[in-house]
């Protein structure tokens, strides 16, 4: 006779969070009081409209429009079905000549002109891990003021002292090094907030002359720059003077990973030294398979880069003509710098009402009162879509008070002083 064991009905646990101590409540309240209530007037700067079917998405960093590439998806899907999620563990345990992750690291490193490479879980993990493993409290770290937050976080976790220099100001970098001595120089090749491009040749020469270690974050140039997408440093022939390139593979590679190039000797050291490498699990097999297929596409489908740069230069020229101050962007990143967060909400709403969806950037991603909407151009934008973006930006100028933005006033002032400087000197 079979016995029927009756299980008592499972009671749903009541949902109640632990009460917060006062110091935490005070800190969280500050956000709701100062930012949500006072600055955003009860709205939310990150929560605009939901994009409709004909929306133009300019918030994704998928510059080469690879997120849905059939060959890449097939490679990742096939691997997922074959291998599942593989072994879930830290990368420190990986070894063997035919390990797909290690093989891909080598392949990507060679593509970028380096001896070895290290795959990380993200660009953030790559940058924090790298700086933590090359600097310490005695190392001066020279960092461009606009370098990505993950690099600053690396300096903080290294316990090193940041000696920042003005954005793209090589003379200031030189003066800082002369004062504090050889150290680590950190720049982005393309700056993620406004698309400005680093004067790489001069920065590298300066760092090299003073015996510094050079770190270049190529997140926004890997895949998009160079004949085969090898990035800016390799395409400019500067690889032999730059010690480390880092990159997020969540931009042109349209995946979820980060990368560091280095010497072979350094790469093994890194795996035993960098906290994100030791204490966080490594990538999954299908992610590697996807990235490997992406590298094939990036090398062979050069037309994507050609289209990307044509689209970006068309849009830059058109928006500049409309009077927007694009802050010297020379890349696929275009920022409309509206200034205050309230102005940025107005700009966001005006663009979104016309189906244009960019990314809101405000503090801590920008200095206070230099908030902006970032437009990330991609290679799949059609002529019609580009025209729609320009039409929308033309139509909204009054509605968003573009003429009175501080960035517009700066543009007018610099045009006036350039015109003055160009006038022939009148002989007395
Ligand atoms: C220049 C730069 N470096 C690093 C990162 C971090 O990359 P990830 O998103 O892969 O963590 C980003 C992305 O925001 C970036 O723009």
């Amino acid at each position: 006779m079979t016995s029927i064991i009756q299980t008592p009905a499972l009671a749903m646990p009541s949902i109640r969070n632990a009460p917060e101590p006062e110091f935490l409540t005070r800190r969280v309240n500050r956000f709701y009081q100062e930012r949500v209530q006072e600055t955003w007037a009860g709205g939310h700067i990150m929560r605009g409209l939901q994009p409709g079917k004909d929306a133009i998405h300019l918030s994704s960093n998928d510059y080469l429009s690879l997120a849905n590439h059939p060959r890449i998806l097939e490679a990742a899907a096939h691997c997922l079905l074959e291998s599942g999620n593989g072994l879930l563990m830290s990368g420190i345990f990986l070894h063997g000549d035919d390990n797909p992750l290690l093989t891909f690291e080598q392949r990507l490193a060679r593509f970028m002109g380096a001896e070895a490479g290290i795959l990380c879980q993200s660009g953030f993990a790559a940058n924090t891990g790298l700086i933590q493993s090359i600097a310490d409290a005695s190392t001066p770290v020279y960092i461009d003021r606009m370098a990505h937050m993950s690099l600053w976080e690396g300096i903080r976790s290294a316990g090193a002292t940041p000696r920042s220099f003005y954005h793209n100001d090589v003379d200031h970098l030189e003066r800082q090094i002369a004062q504090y001595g050889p150290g680590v120089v950190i720049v982005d090749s393309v700056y993620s907030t406004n698309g400005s491009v680093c004067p790489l040749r001069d920065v590298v020469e300066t760092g090299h002359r003073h015996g510094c270690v050079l770190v270049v974050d190529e997140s926004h140039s890997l895949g998009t720059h160079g004949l085969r997408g090898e990035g800016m440093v390799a395409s400019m022939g500067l690889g032999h003077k730059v010690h480390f390139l880092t990159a997020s593979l969540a931009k042109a590679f349209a995946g979820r990973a980060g990368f560091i190039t280095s010497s072979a000797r350094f790469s093994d050291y890194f795996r035993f030294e960098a906290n994100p490498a030791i204490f966080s699990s490594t990538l999954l097999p299908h992610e590697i398979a996807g990235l490997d297929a992406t590298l094939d596409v990036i090398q062979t489908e050069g037309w994507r880069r050609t289209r990307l740069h044509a689209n970006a230069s068309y849009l830059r020229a058109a928006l500049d003509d409309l009077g927007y101050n694009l802050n010297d962007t020379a890349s696929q990143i275009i920022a409309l710098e509206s200034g205050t967060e309230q102005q940025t909400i107005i700009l966001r709403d005006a663009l979104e009402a016309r189906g244009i969806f960019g990314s809101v950037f405000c503090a801590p991603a920008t200095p206070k009162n230099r908030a902006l909407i970032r437009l990330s151009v991609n290679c799949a934008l059609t002529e019609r879509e580009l025209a729609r973006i320009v039409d929308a930006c033309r139509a909204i100028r009054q509605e968003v008070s573009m003429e009175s933005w501080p960035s517009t006033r700066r543009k007018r002032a610099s045009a006036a002083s350039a015109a003055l400087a160009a006038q022939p000197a009148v002989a007395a």
Side-chain angles (χ1 to χ4, degrees):
M1 211 171 82
T2 52
S3 74
I4 299 169
I5 301 168
Q6 294 223 322
T7 48
L10 286 176
M12 285 295 286
S14 66
I15 296 172
R16 245 180 70 223
N17 291 345
E20 281 169 358
E22 180 59 23
F23 72 87
L24 177 55
T25 307
R26 262 202 316 274
R27 185 164 174 182
V28 177
N29 278 354
R30 233 180 8 244
F31 164 76
Y32 287 104
Q33 182 61 34
E34 290 174 13
R35 299 208 82 179
V36 183
Q37 290 307 326
E38 290 167 20
T39 309
W40 306 335
H44 197 302
I45 199 165
M46 292 297 169
R47 312 229 170 95
L49 292 179
Q50 282 301 317
K53 266 216 299 283
D54 70 339
I56 300 179
H57 294 275
L58 299 171
S59 52
S60 173
N61 298 317
D62 179 14
Y63 301 125
L64 300 177
S65 307
L66 297 181
N68 294 305
H69 195 292
R71 209 165 123 200
I72 298 169
L73 295 186
E74 264 164 40
H78 179 72
C79 181
L80 183 60
L81 293 174
E82 287 275 300
S83 318
N85 280 335
L87 301 173
L88 295 145
M89 60 188 191
S90 161
I92 199 168
F93 302 115
L94 295 175
H95 57 92
D97 287 343
D98 57 354
N99 181 288
L101 184 143
L102 302 177
T103 310
F104 177 67
E105 282 181 341
Q106 194 60 24
R107 185 174 174 227
L108 183 54
R110 290 292 154 97
F111 172 65
M112 295 169 72
E115 194 177 89
I118 307 148
L119 265 175
C120 304
Q121 302 87 344
S122 65
F124 202 96
N127 282 342
T128 52
L130 176 65
I131 307 305
Q132 180 227 316
S133 59
I134 60 175
D136 61 25
S138 66
T139 319
V141 182
Y142 305 103
I143 180 165
D144 187 290
R145 294 216 170 149
M146 284 187 66
H148 192 262
M149 183 61 83
S150 50
L151 295 158
W152 291 89
E153 193 59 36
I155 299 174
R156 205 162 70 104
S157 67
T161 308
R163 302 288 178 194
S164 66
F165 57 95
Y166 301 127
H167 179 52
N168 277 350
D169 187 335
V170 184
D171 290 339
H172 190 214
L173 167 64
E174 176 118 44
R175 291 200 301 279
Q176 293 282 70
I177 303 177
Q179 184 168 355
Y180 298 106
V184 177
V185 175
I186 304 178
V187 290
D188 292 3
S189 51
V190 172
Y191 286 87
S192 55
T193 36
N194 67 9
S196 53
V197 173
C198 176
L200 268 181
R201 210 172 285 288
D202 292 344
V203 167
V204 170
E205 268 319 313
T206 303
H208 190 66
R209 191 156 18 86
H210 288 279
C212 292
V213 168
L214 280 140
V215 177
V216 180
D217 182 327
E218 290 237 45
S219 294
H220 299 278
S221 51
L222 180 63
T224 54
H225 289 68
L227 209 57
R228 286 157 62 83
E230 65 275 19
M232 226 180 246
V233 169
S235 71
M236 292 172 79
L238 296 172
H240 62 295
K241 290 185 176 167
V242 176
H243 301 79
F244 303 102
L245 302 175
T246 68
S248 161
L249 302 185
K251 317 288 179 203
F253 270 75
R256 278 290 329 159
F259 197 62
I260 303 169
T261 66
S262 70
S263 67
R265 193 171 134 76
F266 183 88
S267 70
D268 212 30
Y269 157 84
F270 179 88
R271 292 178 219 279
F272 286 85
E273 187 70 18
N275 286 339
I278 306 168
F279 296 107
S280 183
S281 300
T282 189
L283 300 179
L284 305 178
H286 70 275
E287 293 174 316
I288 311 293
L291 291 170
D292 197 45
T294 306
L295 181 51
D296 292 337
V297 173
I298 283 182
Q299 291 186 77
T300 53
E301 299 190 5
W303 62 267
R304 291 178 184 271
R305 274 180 291 284
T306 309
R307 283 273 299 279
L308 171 70
H309 295 301
N311 287 351
S313 66
Y314 168 82
L315 212 49
R316 286 195 307 264
L319 299 185
D320 182 51
D321 277 355
L322 291 178
Y324 290 95
N325 180 353
L326 304 182
N327 282 310
D328 298 329
T329 175
S331 70
Q332 68 279 8
I333 295 173
I334 298 175
L336 307 181
E337 192 188 308
S338 32
T340 64
E341 295 186 6
Q342 292 95 329
Q343 281 293 350
T344 306
I345 291 174
I346 294 170
L347 173 61
R348 177 202 70 190
D349 290 347
L351 288 169
E352 290 184 357
R354 290 160 179 85
I356 314 295
F357 288 76
S359 311
V360 170
F361 272 56
C362 57
T366 66
K368 195 164 186 280
N369 292 332
R370 290 198 67 174
L372 54 90
I373 304 269
R374 184 178 79 176
L375 310 178
S376 291
V377 178
N378 64 67
C379 74
L381 288 169
T382 61
E383 274 179 30
R384 254 187 82 218
E385 288 172 325
L386 290 167
R388 250 183 77 196
I389 299 166
V390 176
D391 288 346
C393 290
R394 179 184 298 107
I396 63 174
R397 284 176 297 177
Q398 223 177 354
E399 179 183 341
V400 304
S401 314
M402 185 208 77
E403 284 296 331
S404 65
W405 293 350
S407 66
T408 315
R409 291 204 296 269
R410 281 202 313 275
K411 176 176 168 136
R412 274 200 305 267
S414 88
S417 61
L420 203 63
Q423 275 179 9
V426 181

